[in-house]
Amino acid sequence: MYKIVIIDDEKMIREGLVNTMPWQEMGIKVVGSANNGQAALEIIREKKPHIVLTDIRMPKMDGLQLIRTLREEMPMLKIVILSGYDDFSYAQQAIKYDVVDYLVKPVEAEVLQELMEKLKMDLDREIFAQLNRLNVKTKIETEVRQYIIAIRMSNKDKALDLVDRIFHNQIVKSAPLEQLKNLCTEIVDDILFALKQDGIQLNDELQQEYSQTFLEMFHLLHGDELMKWLCEFTVKIIQYIDKEKEDSSHMAIKKALEYIDGHFNEDLSIQKVAEEVHLSSNYFSHIFKKYKGQSFTDYLNNIRIQKAKKLLAENLYKIYEISDMVGYSDYKYFSSVFKKIEGISPSEYTELLK
């Protein structure tokens, strides 16, 4: 079912069009309506309709401004002007933005219905044509999938190499420019979705930057320009991922160290601590060694032995009691770890304290 958004600042006309036309019977669904161009633009960006029926004279953003913006962002959108006789000269300016028709208020239901049927036929033909073209993304799915994996792994060289392979694939080289633009859009959408699954989302500043970048991309005229565009996106997004991972890893290690300090005397494992900071044990092990310069096991043993030394200095407990107090249920293992770190056994250390 095709989707339409209706815009008119006159409430009676707007609601009449929404509620009295047999949209369901025509195979069309009204997904939104607005009384000004600014509100309409937000609805259209969200709902992504196939058809827009808009007035010309409106507050905040008039119809001409709206049409100009929509043509930049959604070149395939079917736009119909609905306006009064007095606005005809004004509406003529919109013709250069490829509006499909101009209807004069009050529009007759039969006229509007006939136009909608024509637009539906046009949309059917366009979709059929698209389906019969080579499905570029499907044909190069392996390269695209590998590229997205390289992005997620922050492997810039691999990702850029795959961009080169994608654009030099014979299928891509022979595809129409519009299809290549759609391919780039789909690839970026897939990347952002994959990163969201990884817990990485673009901040507001980057969201705004990419929205502008996409608009610029749709004005490019050659495949090599699109390839350059995707390469630039690749570098920027990997830089952002690296920063987000760095910040996230730093916070995770900070929480892990706090947890270890409060639970060192328990049966503590790398799996347990990794769960506490919501990371896989393998990844946690990797970043722990990166930040602390030693393995989790070595760090935990050092913490425990330092705690044991303080307890030994108090001379209040037996050595086997201290062993248990710092997390070692096996006294012999405690002694061997102590000697490995300090160079002497716990008992020899005690003698030195006397």
Side-chain angles (χ1 to χ4, degrees), residues 242 244-257 270 273-274 277-296:
D242 286 342
E244 286 294 295
K245 284 183 177 178
E246 188 74 21
D247 293 345
S248 176
S249 297
H250 181 77
M251 185 59 67
I253 294 301
K254 182 181 177 183
K255 289 181 179 179
L257 296 179
I270 192 167
V273 179
V277 295
H278 310 292
L279 295 174
S280 70
S281 54
N282 285 338
Y283 183 65
F284 175 71
S285 175
H286 170 73
I287 64 169
F288 190 94
K289 192 164 187 177
K290 175 185 173 183
Y291 278 88
K292 299 305 296 179
Q294 61 185 152
S295 70
F296 168 81

PDB file of all heavy atoms in Angstrom, residues 242 244-257 270 273-274 277-296:
ATOM      1  N   ASP A 242      36.569   4.085  17.369  1.00  0.00           N
ATOM      2  CA  ASP A 242      37.760   3.946  18.224  1.00  0.00           C
ATOM      3  C   ASP A 242      37.636   4.802  19.485  1.00  0.00           C
ATOM      4  O   ASP A 242      37.977   4.358  20.581  1.00  0.00           O
ATOM      5  CB  ASP A 242      39.019   4.348  17.448  1.00  0.00           C
ATOM      6  CG  ASP A 242      39.428   3.295  16.418  1.00  0.00           C
ATOM      7  OD1 ASP A 242      38.958   2.150  16.541  1.00  0.00           O
ATOM      8  OD2 ASP A 242      40.200   3.633  15.502  1.00  0.00           O
ATOM      9  N   GLU A 244      34.821   5.924  20.874  1.00  0.00           N
ATOM     10  CA  GLU A 244      33.755   5.385  21.719  1.00  0.00           C
ATOM     11  C   GLU A 244      34.219   4.146  22.464  1.00  0.00           C
ATOM     12  O   GLU A 244      33.934   3.975  23.655  1.00  0.00           O
ATOM     13  CB  GLU A 244      32.534   5.049  20.861  1.00  0.00           C
ATOM     14  CG  GLU A 244      31.759   6.257  20.384  1.00  0.00           C
ATOM     15  CD  GLU A 244      31.104   6.999  21.532  1.00  0.00           C
ATOM     16  OE1 GLU A 244      30.211   6.436  22.179  1.00  0.00           O
ATOM     17  OE2 GLU A 244      31.504   8.154  21.788  1.00  0.00           O
ATOM     18  N   LYS A 245      34.956   3.281  21.769  1.00  0.00           N
ATOM     19  CA  LYS A 245      35.459   2.055  22.403  1.00  0.00           C
ATOM     20  C   LYS A 245      36.472   2.398  23.485  1.00  0.00           C
ATOM     21  O   LYS A 245      36.506   1.764  24.545  1.00  0.00           O
ATOM     22  CB  LYS A 245      36.082   1.134  21.355  1.00  0.00           C
ATOM     23  CG  LYS A 245      35.072   0.402  20.496  1.00  0.00           C
ATOM     24  CD  LYS A 245      35.763  -0.546  19.543  1.00  0.00           C
ATOM     25  CE  LYS A 245      34.753  -1.355  18.729  1.00  0.00           C
ATOM     26  NZ  LYS A 245      35.417  -2.257  17.760  1.00  0.00           N
ATOM     27  N   GLU A 246      37.317   3.396  23.194  1.00  0.00           N
ATOM     28  CA  GLU A 246      38.324   3.817  24.171  1.00  0.00           C
ATOM     29  C   GLU A 246      37.650   4.332  25.436  1.00  0.00           C
ATOM     30  O   GLU A 246      38.008   3.943  26.550  1.00  0.00           O
ATOM     31  CB  GLU A 246      39.207   4.902  23.555  1.00  0.00           C
ATOM     32  CG  GLU A 246      40.412   5.283  24.386  1.00  0.00           C
ATOM     33  CD  GLU A 246      41.505   4.224  24.366  1.00  0.00           C
ATOM     34  OE1 GLU A 246      41.534   3.398  23.433  1.00  0.00           O
ATOM     35  OE2 GLU A 246      42.312   4.223  25.309  1.00  0.00           O
ATOM     36  N   ASP A 247      36.663   5.202  25.259  1.00  0.00           N
ATOM     37  CA  ASP A 247      35.934   5.750  26.408  1.00  0.00           C
ATOM     38  C   ASP A 247      35.204   4.653  27.170  1.00  0.00           C
ATOM     39  O   ASP A 247      35.220   4.606  28.405  1.00  0.00           O
ATOM     40  CB  ASP A 247      34.932   6.805  25.942  1.00  0.00           C
ATOM     41  CG  ASP A 247      35.610   8.044  25.390  1.00  0.00           C
ATOM     42  OD1 ASP A 247      36.825   8.207  25.620  1.00  0.00           O
ATOM     43  OD2 ASP A 247      34.931   8.849  24.720  1.00  0.00           O
ATOM     44  N   SER A 248      34.564   3.765  26.421  1.00  0.00           N
ATOM     45  CA  SER A 248      33.801   2.685  27.033  1.00  0.00           C
ATOM     46  C   SER A 248      34.720   1.709  27.767  1.00  0.00           C
ATOM     47  O   SER A 248      34.423   1.261  28.874  1.00  0.00           O
ATOM     48  CB  SER A 248      33.003   1.947  25.946  1.00  0.00           C
ATOM     49  OG  SER A 248      32.324   0.847  26.484  1.00  0.00           O
ATOM     50  N   SER A 249      35.861   1.393  27.137  1.00  0.00           N
ATOM     51  CA  SER A 249      36.816   0.459  27.749  1.00  0.00           C
ATOM     52  C   SER A 249      37.410   1.048  29.023  1.00  0.00           C
ATOM     53  O   SER A 249      37.558   0.355  30.031  1.00  0.00           O
ATOM     54  CB  SER A 249      37.934   0.122  26.758  1.00  0.00           C
ATOM     55  OG  SER A 249      37.424  -0.526  25.621  1.00  0.00           O
ATOM     56  N   HIS A 250      37.737   2.331  28.958  1.00  0.00           N
ATOM     57  CA  HIS A 250      38.308   2.994  30.133  1.00  0.00           C
ATOM     58  C   HIS A 250      37.330   2.931  31.309  1.00  0.00           C
ATOM     59  O   HIS A 250      37.727   2.637  32.445  1.00  0.00           O
ATOM     60  CB  HIS A 250      38.633   4.455  29.792  1.00  0.00           C
ATOM     61  CG  HIS A 250      39.243   5.213  30.916  1.00  0.00           C
ATOM     62  ND1 HIS A 250      40.559   5.062  31.284  1.00  0.00           N
ATOM     63  CD2 HIS A 250      38.703   6.123  31.777  1.00  0.00           C
ATOM     64  CE1 HIS A 250      40.811   5.849  32.321  1.00  0.00           C
ATOM     65  NE2 HIS A 250      39.707   6.498  32.640  1.00  0.00           N
ATOM     66  N   MET A 251      36.057   3.186  31.034  1.00  0.00           N
ATOM     67  CA  MET A 251      35.044   3.138  32.090  1.00  0.00           C
ATOM     68  C   MET A 251      34.868   1.712  32.623  1.00  0.00           C
ATOM     69  O   MET A 251      34.721   1.501  33.831  1.00  0.00           O
ATOM     70  CB  MET A 251      33.709   3.663  31.546  1.00  0.00           C
ATOM     71  CG  MET A 251      32.617   3.768  32.605  1.00  0.00           C
ATOM     72  SD  MET A 251      33.055   4.870  33.979  1.00  0.00           S
ATOM     73  CE  MET A 251      33.091   6.450  33.123  1.00  0.00           C
ATOM     74  N   ALA A 252      34.900   0.737  31.700  1.00  0.00           N
ATOM     75  CA  ALA A 252      34.738  -0.663  32.108  1.00  0.00           C
ATOM     76  C   ALA A 252      35.882  -1.108  33.017  1.00  0.00           C
ATOM     77  O   ALA A 252      35.664  -1.797  34.031  1.00  0.00           O
ATOM     78  CB  ALA A 252      34.664  -1.563  30.878  1.00  0.00           C
ATOM     79  N   ILE A 253      37.111  -0.717  32.668  1.00  0.00           N
ATOM     80  CA  ILE A 253      38.272  -1.092  33.485  1.00  0.00           C
ATOM     81  C   ILE A 253      38.203  -0.410  34.856  1.00  0.00           C
ATOM     82  O   ILE A 253      38.498  -1.024  35.891  1.00  0.00           O
ATOM     83  CB  ILE A 253      39.593  -0.727  32.770  1.00  0.00           C
ATOM     84  CG1 ILE A 253      39.753  -1.563  31.502  1.00  0.00           C
ATOM     85  CG2 ILE A 253      40.784  -0.927  33.704  1.00  0.00           C
ATOM     86  CD1 ILE A 253      39.769  -3.066  31.729  1.00  0.00           C
ATOM     87  N   LYS A 254      37.782   0.839  34.879  1.00  0.00           N
ATOM     88  CA  LYS A 254      37.643   1.558  36.150  1.00  0.00           C
ATOM     89  C   LYS A 254      36.654   0.831  37.066  1.00  0.00           C
ATOM     90  O   LYS A 254      36.924   0.628  38.252  1.00  0.00           O
ATOM     91  CB  LYS A 254      37.168   2.984  35.887  1.00  0.00           C
ATOM     92  CG  LYS A 254      37.041   3.820  37.154  1.00  0.00           C
ATOM     93  CD  LYS A 254      36.548   5.230  36.849  1.00  0.00           C
ATOM     94  CE  LYS A 254      36.359   6.038  38.127  1.00  0.00           C
ATOM     95  NZ  LYS A 254      35.816   7.382  37.851  1.00  0.00           N
ATOM     96  N   LYS A 255      35.507   0.418  36.501  1.00  0.00           N
ATOM     97  CA  LYS A 255      34.506  -0.308  37.296  1.00  0.00           C
ATOM     98  C   LYS A 255      35.048  -1.667  37.740  1.00  0.00           C
ATOM     99  O   LYS A 255      34.788  -2.113  38.856  1.00  0.00           O
ATOM    100  CB  LYS A 255      33.236  -0.493  36.472  1.00  0.00           C
ATOM    101  CG  LYS A 255      32.439   0.788  36.256  1.00  0.00           C
ATOM    102  CD  LYS A 255      31.176   0.516  35.453  1.00  0.00           C
ATOM    103  CE  LYS A 255      30.368   1.794  35.267  1.00  0.00           C
ATOM    104  NZ  LYS A 255      29.140   1.563  34.451  1.00  0.00           N
ATOM    105  N   ALA A 256      35.798  -2.310  36.838  1.00  0.00           N
ATOM    106  CA  ALA A 256      36.353  -3.631  37.162  1.00  0.00           C
ATOM    107  C   ALA A 256      37.344  -3.537  38.322  1.00  0.00           C
ATOM    108  O   ALA A 256      37.328  -4.370  39.236  1.00  0.00           O
ATOM    109  CB  ALA A 256      37.038  -4.220  35.929  1.00  0.00           C
ATOM    110  N   LEU A 257      38.190  -2.516  38.313  1.00  0.00           N
ATOM    111  CA  LEU A 257      39.175  -2.349  39.385  1.00  0.00           C
ATOM    112  C   LEU A 257      38.485  -2.084  40.723  1.00  0.00           C
ATOM    113  O   LEU A 257      38.916  -2.593  41.770  1.00  0.00           O
ATOM    114  CB  LEU A 257      40.130  -1.207  39.046  1.00  0.00           C
ATOM    115  CG  LEU A 257      41.020  -1.414  37.806  1.00  0.00           C
ATOM    116  CD1 LEU A 257      41.901  -0.197  37.579  1.00  0.00           C
ATOM    117  CD2 LEU A 257      41.868  -2.675  37.958  1.00  0.00           C
ATOM    118  N   ILE A 270      37.940 -14.206  36.055  1.00  0.00           N
ATOM    119  CA  ILE A 270      37.846 -13.204  34.995  1.00  0.00           C
ATOM    120  C   ILE A 270      36.444 -13.187  34.392  1.00  0.00           C
ATOM    121  O   ILE A 270      35.927 -12.139  34.013  1.00  0.00           O
ATOM    122  CB  ILE A 270      38.921 -13.446  33.901  1.00  0.00           C
ATOM    123  CG1 ILE A 270      38.995 -12.221  32.979  1.00  0.00           C
ATOM    124  CG2 ILE A 270      38.638 -14.719  33.115  1.00  0.00           C
ATOM    125  CD1 ILE A 270      40.214 -12.230  32.081  1.00  0.00           C
ATOM    126  N   VAL A 273      34.151 -11.071  36.769  1.00  0.00           N
ATOM    127  CA  VAL A 273      34.374  -9.626  36.677  1.00  0.00           C
ATOM    128  C   VAL A 273      33.890  -9.102  35.326  1.00  0.00           C
ATOM    129  O   VAL A 273      33.294  -8.026  35.241  1.00  0.00           O
ATOM    130  CB  VAL A 273      35.860  -9.286  36.899  1.00  0.00           C
ATOM    131  CG1 VAL A 273      36.084  -7.778  36.776  1.00  0.00           C
ATOM    132  CG2 VAL A 273      36.322  -9.779  38.259  1.00  0.00           C
ATOM    133  N   ALA A 274      34.137  -9.862  34.259  1.00  0.00           N
ATOM    134  CA  ALA A 274      33.689  -9.457  32.918  1.00  0.00           C
ATOM    135  C   ALA A 274      32.167  -9.312  32.879  1.00  0.00           C
ATOM    136  O   ALA A 274      31.628  -8.377  32.280  1.00  0.00           O
ATOM    137  CB  ALA A 274      34.152 -10.472  31.871  1.00  0.00           C
ATOM    138  N   VAL A 277      30.927  -6.025  34.352  1.00  0.00           N
ATOM    139  CA  VAL A 277      31.082  -4.816  33.517  1.00  0.00           C
ATOM    140  C   VAL A 277      30.478  -5.032  32.126  1.00  0.00           C
ATOM    141  O   VAL A 277      30.716  -4.256  31.207  1.00  0.00           O
ATOM    142  CB  VAL A 277      32.566  -4.396  33.411  1.00  0.00           C
ATOM    143  CG1 VAL A 277      33.087  -3.975  34.776  1.00  0.00           C
ATOM    144  CG2 VAL A 277      33.433  -5.502  32.827  1.00  0.00           C
ATOM    145  N   HIS A 278      29.718  -6.116  31.977  1.00  0.00           N
ATOM    146  CA  HIS A 278      28.951  -6.394  30.754  1.00  0.00           C
ATOM    147  C   HIS A 278      29.819  -6.535  29.511  1.00  0.00           C
ATOM    148  O   HIS A 278      29.522  -5.998  28.440  1.00  0.00           O
ATOM    149  CB  HIS A 278      27.891  -5.301  30.534  1.00  0.00           C
ATOM    150  CG  HIS A 278      27.052  -5.027  31.733  1.00  0.00           C
ATOM    151  ND1 HIS A 278      26.151  -5.956  32.230  1.00  0.00           N
ATOM    152  CD2 HIS A 278      26.991  -3.944  32.567  1.00  0.00           C
ATOM    153  CE1 HIS A 278      25.561  -5.446  33.302  1.00  0.00           C
ATOM    154  NE2 HIS A 278      26.053  -4.237  33.529  1.00  0.00           N
ATOM    155  N   LEU A 279      30.934  -7.272  29.651  1.00  0.00           N
ATOM    156  CA  LEU A 279      31.797  -7.559  28.513  1.00  0.00           C
ATOM    157  C   LEU A 279      32.049  -9.054  28.429  1.00  0.00           C
ATOM    158  O   LEU A 279      31.916  -9.771  29.419  1.00  0.00           O
ATOM    159  CB  LEU A 279      33.145  -6.832  28.661  1.00  0.00           C
ATOM    160  CG  LEU A 279      33.128  -5.293  28.621  1.00  0.00           C
ATOM    161  CD1 LEU A 279      34.522  -4.768  28.926  1.00  0.00           C
ATOM    162  CD2 LEU A 279      32.645  -4.780  27.278  1.00  0.00           C
ATOM    163  N   SER A 280      32.419  -9.522  27.248  1.00  0.00           N
ATOM    164  CA  SER A 280      32.803 -10.924  27.126  1.00  0.00           C
ATOM    165  C   SER A 280      34.146 -11.114  27.826  1.00  0.00           C
ATOM    166  O   SER A 280      34.952 -10.174  27.903  1.00  0.00           O
ATOM    167  CB  SER A 280      32.931 -11.328  25.657  1.00  0.00           C
ATOM    168  OG  SER A 280      34.062 -10.715  25.065  1.00  0.00           O
ATOM    169  N   SER A 281      34.406 -12.296  28.322  1.00  0.00           N
ATOM    170  CA  SER A 281      35.649 -12.539  29.058  1.00  0.00           C
ATOM    171  C   SER A 281      36.879 -12.352  28.163  1.00  0.00           C
ATOM    172  O   SER A 281      37.908 -11.838  28.605  1.00  0.00           O
ATOM    173  CB  SER A 281      35.648 -13.942  29.680  1.00  0.00           C
ATOM    174  OG  SER A 281      35.394 -14.926  28.699  1.00  0.00           O
ATOM    175  N   ASN A 282      36.761 -12.739  26.892  1.00  0.00           N
ATOM    176  CA  ASN A 282      37.895 -12.588  25.966  1.00  0.00           C
ATOM    177  C   ASN A 282      38.223 -11.123  25.734  1.00  0.00           C
ATOM    178  O   ASN A 282      39.390 -10.714  25.777  1.00  0.00           O
ATOM    179  CB  ASN A 282      37.595 -13.272  24.626  1.00  0.00           C
ATOM    180  CG  ASN A 282      37.689 -14.779  24.717  1.00  0.00           C
ATOM    181  OD1 ASN A 282      38.341 -15.315  25.613  1.00  0.00           O
ATOM    182  ND2 ASN A 282      37.054 -15.474  23.800  1.00  0.00           N
ATOM    183  N   TYR A 283      37.186 -10.333  25.470  1.00  0.00           N
ATOM    184  CA  TYR A 283      37.418  -8.906  25.213  1.00  0.00           C
ATOM    185  C   TYR A 283      37.901  -8.203  26.479  1.00  0.00           C
ATOM    186  O   TYR A 283      38.800  -7.364  26.432  1.00  0.00           O
ATOM    187  CB  TYR A 283      36.134  -8.245  24.693  1.00  0.00           C
ATOM    188  CG  TYR A 283      36.316  -6.791  24.346  1.00  0.00           C
ATOM    189  CD1 TYR A 283      37.148  -6.407  23.307  1.00  0.00           C
ATOM    190  CD2 TYR A 283      35.676  -5.794  25.085  1.00  0.00           C
ATOM    191  CE1 TYR A 283      37.344  -5.065  22.989  1.00  0.00           C
ATOM    192  CE2 TYR A 283      35.857  -4.441  24.773  1.00  0.00           C
ATOM    193  CZ  TYR A 283      36.688  -4.094  23.727  1.00  0.00           C
ATOM    194  OH  TYR A 283      36.875  -2.770  23.425  1.00  0.00           O
ATOM    195  N   PHE A 284      37.303  -8.566  27.612  1.00  0.00           N
ATOM    196  CA  PHE A 284      37.714  -7.967  28.881  1.00  0.00           C
ATOM    197  C   PHE A 284      39.179  -8.285  29.163  1.00  0.00           C
ATOM    198  O   PHE A 284      39.948  -7.409  29.590  1.00  0.00           O
ATOM    199  CB  PHE A 284      36.844  -8.476  30.021  1.00  0.00           C
ATOM    200  CG  PHE A 284      37.285  -7.991  31.375  1.00  0.00           C
ATOM    201  CD1 PHE A 284      37.123  -6.669  31.750  1.00  0.00           C
ATOM    202  CD2 PHE A 284      37.882  -8.864  32.272  1.00  0.00           C
ATOM    203  CE1 PHE A 284      37.554  -6.215  32.993  1.00  0.00           C
ATOM    204  CE2 PHE A 284      38.308  -8.424  33.517  1.00  0.00           C
ATOM    205  CZ  PHE A 284      38.140  -7.101  33.879  1.00  0.00           C
ATOM    206  N   SER A 285      39.580  -9.527  28.914  1.00  0.00           N
ATOM    207  CA  SER A 285      40.971  -9.931  29.126  1.00  0.00           C
ATOM    208  C   SER A 285      41.917  -9.098  28.270  1.00  0.00           C
ATOM    209  O   SER A 285      42.980  -8.651  28.729  1.00  0.00           O
ATOM    210  CB  SER A 285      41.133 -11.418  28.787  1.00  0.00           C
ATOM    211  OG  SER A 285      42.492 -11.803  28.883  1.00  0.00           O
ATOM    212  N   HIS A 286      41.494  -8.863  27.015  1.00  0.00           N
ATOM    213  CA  HIS A 286      42.323  -8.093  26.075  1.00  0.00           C
ATOM    214  C   HIS A 286      42.510  -6.654  26.543  1.00  0.00           C
ATOM    215  O   HIS A 286      43.639  -6.147  26.607  1.00  0.00           O
ATOM    216  CB  HIS A 286      41.669  -8.122  24.686  1.00  0.00           C
ATOM    217  CG  HIS A 286      42.288  -7.180  23.713  1.00  0.00           C
ATOM    218  ND1 HIS A 286      43.531  -7.393  23.153  1.00  0.00           N
ATOM    219  CD2 HIS A 286      41.834  -5.984  23.207  1.00  0.00           C
ATOM    220  CE1 HIS A 286      43.823  -6.381  22.339  1.00  0.00           C
ATOM    221  NE2 HIS A 286      42.816  -5.525  22.361  1.00  0.00           N
ATOM    222  N   ILE A 287      41.394  -5.975  26.883  1.00  0.00           N
ATOM    223  CA  ILE A 287      41.512  -4.556  27.255  1.00  0.00           C
ATOM    224  C   ILE A 287      42.128  -4.391  28.646  1.00  0.00           C
ATOM    225  O   ILE A 287      42.781  -3.389  28.918  1.00  0.00           O
ATOM    226  CB  ILE A 287      40.158  -3.820  27.163  1.00  0.00           C
ATOM    227  CG1 ILE A 287      39.137  -4.371  28.162  1.00  0.00           C
ATOM    228  CG2 ILE A 287      39.622  -3.859  25.747  1.00  0.00           C
ATOM    229  CD1 ILE A 287      37.886  -3.510  28.278  1.00  0.00           C
ATOM    230  N   PHE A 288      41.951  -5.393  29.525  1.00  0.00           N
ATOM    231  CA  PHE A 288      42.538  -5.310  30.864  1.00  0.00           C
ATOM    232  C   PHE A 288      44.066  -5.279  30.741  1.00  0.00           C
ATOM    233  O   PHE A 288      44.736  -4.443  31.363  1.00  0.00           O
ATOM    234  CB  PHE A 288      42.099  -6.492  31.727  1.00  0.00           C
ATOM    235  CG  PHE A 288      42.464  -6.345  33.180  1.00  0.00           C
ATOM    236  CD1 PHE A 288      41.554  -5.806  34.080  1.00  0.00           C
ATOM    237  CD2 PHE A 288      43.721  -6.713  33.647  1.00  0.00           C
ATOM    238  CE1 PHE A 288      41.888  -5.636  35.423  1.00  0.00           C
ATOM    239  CE2 PHE A 288      44.060  -6.562  34.982  1.00  0.00           C
ATOM    240  CZ  PHE A 288      43.145  -6.024  35.872  1.00  0.00           C
ATOM    241  N   LYS A 289      44.589  -6.174  29.927  1.00  0.00           N
ATOM    242  CA  LYS A 289      46.046  -6.228  29.753  1.00  0.00           C
ATOM    243  C   LYS A 289      46.557  -4.955  29.077  1.00  0.00           C
ATOM    244  O   LYS A 289      47.635  -4.453  29.400  1.00  0.00           O
ATOM    245  CB  LYS A 289      46.436  -7.457  28.939  1.00  0.00           C
ATOM    246  CG  LYS A 289      47.934  -7.731  28.956  1.00  0.00           C
ATOM    247  CD  LYS A 289      48.250  -9.128  28.486  1.00  0.00           C
ATOM    248  CE  LYS A 289      49.739  -9.433  28.686  1.00  0.00           C
ATOM    249  NZ  LYS A 289      50.069 -10.820  28.302  1.00  0.00           N
ATOM    250  N   LYS A 290      45.749  -4.422  28.150  1.00  0.00           N
ATOM    251  CA  LYS A 290      46.132  -3.193  27.445  1.00  0.00           C
ATOM    252  C   LYS A 290      46.246  -2.021  28.420  1.00  0.00           C
ATOM    253  O   LYS A 290      47.202  -1.243  28.371  1.00  0.00           O
ATOM    254  CB  LYS A 290      45.098  -2.875  26.358  1.00  0.00           C
ATOM    255  CG  LYS A 290      45.330  -1.554  25.650  1.00  0.00           C
ATOM    256  CD  LYS A 290      44.200  -1.266  24.673  1.00  0.00           C
ATOM    257  CE  LYS A 290      44.334   0.133  24.088  1.00  0.00           C
ATOM    258  NZ  LYS A 290      43.213   0.465  23.177  1.00  0.00           N
ATOM    259  N   TYR A 291      45.277  -1.904  29.340  1.00  0.00           N
ATOM    260  CA  TYR A 291      45.245  -0.756  30.252  1.00  0.00           C
ATOM    261  C   TYR A 291      46.176  -0.935  31.460  1.00  0.00           C
ATOM    262  O   TYR A 291      46.761   0.029  31.924  1.00  0.00           O
ATOM    263  CB  TYR A 291      43.818  -0.508  30.743  1.00  0.00           C
ATOM    264  CG  TYR A 291      42.977   0.273  29.769  1.00  0.00           C
ATOM    265  CD1 TYR A 291      42.263  -0.376  28.777  1.00  0.00           C
ATOM    266  CD2 TYR A 291      42.900   1.658  29.821  1.00  0.00           C
ATOM    267  CE1 TYR A 291      41.482   0.331  27.873  1.00  0.00           C
ATOM    268  CE2 TYR A 291      42.134   2.381  28.924  1.00  0.00           C
ATOM    269  CZ  TYR A 291      41.424   1.709  27.946  1.00  0.00           C
ATOM    270  OH  TYR A 291      40.668   2.410  27.048  1.00  0.00           O
ATOM    271  N   LYS A 292      46.293  -2.158  31.963  1.00  0.00           N
ATOM    272  CA  LYS A 292      47.054  -2.383  33.193  1.00  0.00           C
ATOM    273  C   LYS A 292      48.452  -2.924  32.943  1.00  0.00           C
ATOM    274  O   LYS A 292      49.281  -2.975  33.861  1.00  0.00           O
ATOM    275  CB  LYS A 292      46.290  -3.335  34.118  1.00  0.00           C
ATOM    276  CG  LYS A 292      44.925  -2.819  34.571  1.00  0.00           C
ATOM    277  CD  LYS A 292      45.025  -1.446  35.237  1.00  0.00           C
ATOM    278  CE  LYS A 292      45.826  -1.478  36.528  1.00  0.00           C
ATOM    279  NZ  LYS A 292      45.932  -0.131  37.156  1.00  0.00           N
ATOM    280  N   GLY A 293      48.737  -3.366  31.732  1.00  0.00           N
ATOM    281  CA  GLY A 293      50.070  -3.861  31.423  1.00  0.00           C
ATOM    282  C   GLY A 293      50.372  -5.231  32.006  1.00  0.00           C
ATOM    283  O   GLY A 293      51.531  -5.675  32.008  1.00  0.00           O
ATOM    284  N   GLN A 294      49.360  -5.905  32.511  1.00  0.00           N
ATOM    285  CA  GLN A 294      49.518  -7.260  33.048  1.00  0.00           C
ATOM    286  C   GLN A 294      48.192  -7.999  32.945  1.00  0.00           C
ATOM    287  O   GLN A 294      47.139  -7.378  32.769  1.00  0.00           O
ATOM    288  CB  GLN A 294      50.000  -7.208  34.504  1.00  0.00           C
ATOM    289  CG  GLN A 294      49.056  -6.495  35.437  1.00  0.00           C
ATOM    290  CD  GLN A 294      49.594  -6.351  36.850  1.00  0.00           C
ATOM    291  OE1 GLN A 294      49.255  -5.431  37.554  1.00  0.00           O
ATOM    292  NE2 GLN A 294      50.450  -7.250  37.289  1.00  0.00           N
ATOM    293  N   SER A 295      48.237  -9.298  33.058  1.00  0.00           N
ATOM    294  CA  SER A 295      47.017 -10.087  32.946  1.00  0.00           C
ATOM    295  C   SER A 295      46.131  -9.894  34.165  1.00  0.00           C
ATOM    296  O   SER A 295      46.592  -9.435  35.228  1.00  0.00           O
ATOM    297  CB  SER A 295      47.360 -11.572  32.791  1.00  0.00           C
ATOM    298  OG  SER A 295      47.888 -12.074  34.011  1.00  0.00           O
ATOM    299  N   PHE A 296      44.872 -10.267  34.020  1.00  0.00           N
ATOM    300  CA  PHE A 296      43.924 -10.184  35.129  1.00  0.00           C
ATOM    301  C   PHE A 296      44.420 -11.010  36.312  1.00  0.00           C
ATOM    302  O   PHE A 296      44.385 -10.557  37.467  1.00  0.00           O
ATOM    303  CB  PHE A 296      42.551 -10.680  34.671  1.00  0.00           C
ATOM    304  CG  PHE A 296      41.575 -10.907  35.790  1.00  0.00           C
ATOM    305  CD1 PHE A 296      40.873  -9.849  36.348  1.00  0.00           C
ATOM    306  CD2 PHE A 296      41.390 -12.187  36.309  1.00  0.00           C
ATOM    307  CE1 PHE A 296      39.981 -10.060  37.394  1.00  0.00           C
ATOM    308  CE2 PHE A 296      40.499 -12.411  37.349  1.00  0.00           C
ATOM    309  CZ  PHE A 296      39.796 -11.342  37.892  1.00  0.00           C
TER     310      PHE A 296
END
